Amino acid sequence: MGAHRLALLVFLATLPQLLLAGTTRYYTFNVTMQKVTRLCTTRAIPTVNGKFPGPKIVTREGDRIVVKVVNNVKHNVTIHWHGVRQLRTGWSDGPAYITQCPVQTGQSYVYNFTITGQRGTLFWHAHVSWMRATLYGPIVILPKSGVPFPFPKPYKDVPVVFGEWFNADPEAIIAQALQTGGGPNVSEAYTINGLPGPLYNCSSKDTFKLKVQPGKWYLLRLINAALNDELFFSIANHTLTVVDVDAAYVKPFDTDVVLVTPGQTTNVLLLAKPDDGSPAATHLMLARPYATGRVGTYDNTTVAAILEYAPAGHIKSRPLLWPTLPVFNDTAFAANYSAKLRSLASPDYPARVPMRVDRPFFFTVGLGTTPCPTYQGCNGPTNDTKFSASMNNVSFNMPTTALLKAHYDGNTAGVYTSDFPTTPSEPFNYTGTPPNNTNVSNGTKVVVLPYNTSVEVVLQDTSIQGAESHPLHLHGFDFFVVGQGVGNYDPSSHPAGFNLLDPVQRNTVGVPAGGWVAIRFYADNPGVWFMHCHLEVHTSWGLKMAWVVNDGPLPDQKLMPPPSDLPVC
Ligand SMILES: *[C@@H]1O[C@H](CO)[C@@H](O)[C@H](O)[C@H]1NC(C)=O
Ligand SMILES: *[C@@H]1O[C@H](CO)[C@@H](O)[C@H](O)[C@H]1NC(C)=O
Ligand SMILES: *[C@@H]1O[C@H](CO)[C@@H](O)[C@H](O)[C@H]1NC(C)=O
Ligand SMILES: *[C@@H]1O[C@H](CO)[C@@H](O)[C@H](O)[C@H]1NC(C)=O
Ligand SMILES: *[C@@H]1O[C@H](CO)[C@@H](O)[C@H](O)[C@H]1NC(C)=O
Ligand SMILES: *[C@@H]1O[C@H](CO)[C@@H](O)[C@H](O)[C@H]1NC(C)=O
Ligand SMILES: *[C@@H]1O[C@H](CO)[C@@H](O)[C@H](O)[C@H]1NC(C)=O
Ligand SMILES: *[C@@H]1O[C@H](CO)[C@@H](O)[C@H](O)[C@H]1NC(C)=O
Ligand SMILES: *[C@@H]1O[C@H](CO)[C@@H](O)[C@H](O)[C@H]1NC(C)=O
Ligand SMILES: *[C@@H]1O[C@H](CO)[C@@H](O)[C@H](O)[C@H]1NC(C)=O
Ligand SMILES: *[C@@H]1O[C@H](CO)[C@@H](O)[C@H](O)[C@H]1NC(C)=O
Ligand SMILES: *[C@@H]1O[C@H](CO)[C@@H](O)[C@H](O)[C@H]1NC(C)=O
Ligand SMILES: [Cu+2]
């Protein structure tokens, strides 16, 4: 065979790989302090590249992302690529002390990962203490080149990122709360794309405006990057079509109101009304909390943005239309809304739901208390207690070194133990009157799973300090939400009603207030994976744990070696 022919054969053999390999996209995230004014209050806040919210990453399914994070602030920083699977690249996942030590002042670290089998919207945020209050931004994942959306092609694509604005330093707020044992001060405002909007004092110039052309389709990428609040969102006199959540397509459905918990994303299509000659109106887009905690423990204000039809500049006074949002504690709405979410489950986008379960788990999630350690008294629910939170009665203690490195080195003694309980230590009526002694302990405990174990976790809310909705987020995996209900989970009757056909696939699910949710996933990603409430205050109080997934037998089933610039503690 001639050399030319051989070269041609080699070329042809590598062609599909070249086509599949995707593009590598390089970014530098320079973390610096930046003065920002909102509500007539100026604060120097940590930002990425001076931007608030931070820069948007735009990528395609199959691409590689390489981000050099440079820390030029006095705080420790890590960045989490929320919802990105991080197949075998746990070193790039980002939660501090779980997969890496923080990037300290003056240091840098390169995150390097691919986007595999996901399309839609995710986001990045800091993952140490409450640094994500200002360090966050969108991740837009377009389909592979030449692959269409399974819905009308949008004329424009618009991230709508919800956040929270504090007039004080969020790091001081959580430090004070952990010190006194009480609930942290709540935010002063919610924001849309960093802007609180006209319903707050001294804020009307800081309003996000979406200008639309009549008759065109818009894809709104809703991201809840708020620290502590689930949000209802609605646009006056417009219906939204939900098409994708957490970077997985869903069966489209229409709704006037969307519910997004912290950690969740929702892509909605908005069809701008045709130009029928009627005078243009100003349509408010509003978001305000769905809150099940005690009144006074959350920010109950409303953020507004404006939907405006172009061209409209010449019209002086236009009617202002307000949408209707559910009441702040409408748990029935939350249950109905989440029941509408179904995987697209088409031949092109099948739902790979585990049909059998190797390892079933039952985890209680909820608040609790620990004794006040001082004689000065605490600000918990009583003056001799501090708030804490736990899963299966274990409040997670943050280690002082990264779990993933300890696991990789086989050097786990004194770092973590593998005895996270499969079920609560003492069964009780989880949604009834709690027992006097809730037996809350603490520790750095994990569950160890063999590669590719099929896992079911039933997450059961408790009413120990009041029933409350908890958006649970799992790193490293998407899971299927196969069932949910109110009251206590009953293993003898509830599984019969599970949806194993087209359950929604996502990375964050609201555990219903006073109810339960069942999720399933294959543990097909070796590494150490954090699971925690995405209400940041609950994470701070210990509502978190980790899964250790061992390597599989094949070379492509093993955790990659750590990068040479991995930070040390
Ligand atoms: C980061 O930003 C600061 C302030 O703008 C600048 O002085 C510094 O050179 C930047 N560093 C990098 C690595 O871009
Ligand atoms: C990113 O990871 C890939 C795969 O391990 C490697 O080939 C590449 O060199 C890395 N790039 C950088 C900039 O570290
Ligand atoms: C929290 O709010 C209280 C009451 O308004 C105030 O005294 C305290 O300084 C605030 N804490 C922080 C860290 O801003
Ligand atoms: C705006 O300021 C006025 C006067 O200080 C006050 O009464 C009102 O409660 C404030 N409104 C909001 C939304 O903060
Ligand atoms: C709402 O939109 C419809 C068209 O979709 C329009 O006919 C109607 O007048 C609008 N309502 C208001 C209050 O503007
Ligand atoms: C909202 O906050 C105000 C002021 O703190 C309070 O008076 C009111 O009761 C709250 N409303 C709800 C529904 O939580
Ligand atoms: C919602 O809050 C109101 C006012 O606090 C209360 O009367 C009502 O019972 C609550 N509804 C639910 C479903 O908890
Ligand atoms: C705690 O509250 C009790 C009952 O209200 C009171 O008697 C006691 O003095 C308080 N303790 C402290 C340390 O404030
Ligand atoms: C649990 O408590 C709830 C609320 O008090 C009650 O309705 C229910 O019957 C109790 N369940 C059991 C099994 O005791
Ligand atoms: C729980 O505490 C209450 C009030 O202190 C007491 O009346 C009750 O008997 C206790 N219940 C149990 C089961 O110990
Ligand atoms: C953990 O529990 C032990 C034993 O109850 C207690 O002494 C310790 O203070 C707790 N640690 C934390 C961080 O809560
Ligand atoms: C930053 O992280 C290092 C390593 O874990 C730790 O020793 C240090 O106390 C942290 N600094 C701050 C300001 O939290
Ligand atoms: Cu929670």
Side-chain angles (χ1 to χ4, degrees), residues 28-34 49-50 68-72 108:
T28 299
F29 274 21
N30 186 1
V31 183
T32 58
M33 299 304 282
Q34 177 74 35
N49 302 343
K68 180 176 185 180
V69 172
V70 187
N71 183 358
N72 283 307
S108 66

